[in-house]
Amino acid sequence: MVDFIGIERIQELVARRGAARFIEELAGEIEADFLRWSVFDKSPRHATHSPVGVIELMPASDGRLYAFKYVNGHPQNTAVGLLTVTAFGVLADVQTGYPLLLAELTLTTALRTAATSALAARRMARVGSRVMALVGNGAQSEFQTLAFHHLLGIREVRLYDTDAGATAKLEHNLARLRLPDLQVVRCGSTAAAVQGADIVTTATADKRNATILTPEMITPGVHLNAVGGDCPGKTELHPDILLRPDARVVVEYEPQSRIEGEIQQMNADFPVTELAQVLAGQVPGRVSDRDVTIFDSVGFALEDFSSLRYLLRIHHEERGTQQQIDLLPDLDDPKDLFALLLPETEKLSSRPGVPA
Ligand SMILES: NC(=O)c1ccc[n+]([C@@H]2O[C@H](COP(=O)([O-])OP(=O)(O)OC[C@H]3O[C@@H](n4cnc5c(N)ncnc54)[C@H](O)[C@@H]3O)[C@@H](O)[C@H]2O)c1
């Protein structure tokens, strides 16, 4: 039997843990794995593109556990009542190759993306950052707000989305969350939202080289958390922002980000730092209060590896619906797979010719 975490169970787990504590614990797991970066078997994810979206497979292993995530990105889906991003994944034992857990990763992706954004911002944003602009108020936006409120101390979020309904939904959900001391400000444009912000999070979905942020919007010292550009031909930042002399760009895994990140717009020798180096303290995330720091996030398999391991642990810790599924055959003789297709009465009690 294989442990199973579906939507109901993840709702239960987040409710039992509390969303803020869940994100904080997840951030701890992700950071711990980035700190042992060299032990991981890493590769850029395998992307299968179509005119309307992408389906990706994301594997990672530390030699003891193996994980993969299936994830899609279809920006036009919301127009027909479907999510832009859905995901599920598997955690397996490297020793036997047997899966240990099959889990939903749609909610978990939003939680882990927010956790990773906050981890990067803790090292890259100016100390004392309190105001965040949030451009793109769709599925990821509440999670980003929660993480930055809880882990960074953000006390004002300035919202903008081309779809006013998405902003109204976010406002409504944030009002229900009642995050202590959080001021929510609705803005009429990206430029208005960004003005005066210490941190700018972009989480828009559009399958093109969009320019959500343009050079004149950027002030010295700001931290950009660019989440939405995560595919070839799908970016959010004007290239001149990356080319500023005071810009410092951090990516998760350089070989993947060169293909998918904001830096796909740059030459192959454009200087970047990997998040693992920043988290390990080998390279500073920020040198001066005037640096423009950019976390060019695309989402890396290690974050899902950490998430699946964390999910399995709390699934066993927390009471409630402990579901398992019969994904794997349980055989008396592992060489007699065919026995599964025989009626009970015709099965051998032992191998022929072998004394019982
Ligand atoms: N980096 C990562 O690890 C990671 C993880 C998950 C999702 N993503 C990406 O983040 C993006 C957002 O994901 P989501 O699940 O919230 O999608 P979503 O479709 O639910 O929300 C996206 C929002 O962006 C808005 N938008 C589109 N163009 C805009 C513009 N020009 N200005 C302002 N708003 C605009 C849309 O109206 C929509 O409300 C997607 O591109 C997704 O692929 C990245």
Side-chain angles (χ1 to χ4, degrees):
M1 299 295 274
V2 174
D3 280 307
F4 175 69
I5 298 178
I7 297 299
E8 270 182 45
R9 181 59 172 158
I10 191 76
Q11 286 175 294
E12 187 176 64
L13 290 174
V14 176
R16 279 170 186 268
R17 231 54 182 188
R21 179 179 160 207
F22 190 109
I23 291 175
E24 185 176 350
E25 288 180 348
L26 193 48
E29 299 277 337
I30 293 169
E31 182 167 30
D33 283 333
F34 269 108
L35 291 177
R36 47 188 204 112
W37 185 240
S38 63
V39 309
F40 278 90
D41 183 6
K42 302 178 276 293
S43 54
R45 59 187 160 199
H46 186 278
T48 303
H49 297 277
S50 74
V52 289
V54 66
I55 295 176
E56 295 162 330
L57 289 175
M58 304 170 67
S61 174
D62 67 354
R64 198 174 67 79
L65 293 169
Y66 169 94
F68 80 84
K69 174 165 92 170
Y70 167 106
V71 62
N72 77 299
H74 286 69
Q76 294 169 21
N77 267 5
T78 54
V80 292
L82 301 175
L83 284 151
T84 296
V85 175
T86 68
F88 69 90
V90 167
L91 186 70
D93 175 20
V94 169
Q95 191 64 36
T96 59
Y98 268 39
L100 304 168
L101 172 68
L102 170 64
E104 88 77 42
L105 290 180
T106 305
L107 263 166
T108 304
T109 292
L111 291 155
R112 74 80 153 129
T113 303
T116 308
S117 288
L119 271 179
R122 275 211 297 223
R123 298 296 200 294
M124 299 175 71
R126 272 192 319 255
V127 174
S129 292
R130 290 289 170 266
V131 180
M132 177 166 89
L134 185 42
V135 183
N137 301 159
Q140 308 300 316
S141 60
E142 287 82 359
F143 302 88
Q144 291 284 332
T145 309
L146 254 170
F148 278 82
H149 177 269
H150 186 61
L151 296 176
L152 266 289
I154 287 299
R155 290 298 174 261
E156 179 178 329
V157 275
R158 303 174 59 79
L159 317 180
Y160 178 68
D161 193 299
T162 43
D163 172 11
T167 306
K169 175 261 340 177
L170 174 57
E171 264 187 316
H172 171 78
N173 286 340
L174 292 179
R176 291 203 55 189
L177 272 173
R178 288 198 187 84
L179 299 176
D181 305 323
L182 182 71
Q183 207 190 334
V184 178
V185 180
R186 200 172 182 154
C187 299
S189 66
T190 297
V194 165
Q195 200 169 25
D198 302 304
I199 296 176
V200 179
T201 289
T202 52
T204 66
D206 203 351
K207 201 172 164 46
R208 67 193 175 97
N209 291 115
T211 37
I212 306 299
L213 299 184
T214 49
E216 69 280 4
M217 294 179 192
I218 307 304
T219 47
V222 73
H223 172 65
L224 308 182
N225 172 41
V227 172
D230 56 1
C231 253
K234 180 165 173 266
T235 53
E236 294 180 308
L237 307 185
H238 189 290
D240 287 352
I241 297 174
L242 300 159
L243 290 168
R244 285 175 67 113
D246 56 2
R248 298 176 70 81
V249 181
V250 170
V251 299
E252 288 141 311
Y253 176 54
E254 188 178 338
Q256 181 177 312
S257 299
R258 293 265 175 216
I259 302 166
E260 302 179 349
E262 297 299 328
I263 60 166
Q264 66 184 271
Q265 306 179 83
M266 299 290 114
N267 291 332
D269 59 354
F270 178 77
V272 295
T273 302
E274 285 187 331
L275 181 59
Q277 292 175 282
V278 175
L279 294 177
Q282 293 158 356
V283 179
R286 161 178 296 276
V287 175
S288 123
D289 272 357
R290 294 185 64 80
D291 286 343
V292 170
T293 51
I294 301 165
F295 178 44
D296 179 6
S297 158
V298 293
F300 183 52
L302 176 143
E303 296 149 33
D304 304 304
F305 174 98
S306 315
S307 302
L308 283 159
R309 191 191 48 211
Y310 172 68
L311 286 182
L312 185 61
R313 177 161 67 77
I314 64 170
H315 182 54
H316 289 162
E317 279 173 17
E318 298 285 356
R319 290 217 303 271
T321 335
Q322 296 264 1
Q323 235 182 309
Q324 291 192 314
I325 52 170
D326 63 342
L327 197 62
L328 302 174
D330 185 13
L331 300 167
D332 292 335
D333 176 355
K335 296 193 176 177
D336 192 7
L337 178 62
F338 196 76
L340 286 178
L341 303 183
L342 296 175
E344 215 37 55
T345 48
E346 289 177 32
K347 285 181 187 165
L348 291 171
S349 53
S350 64
R351 285 196 198 180
V354 179

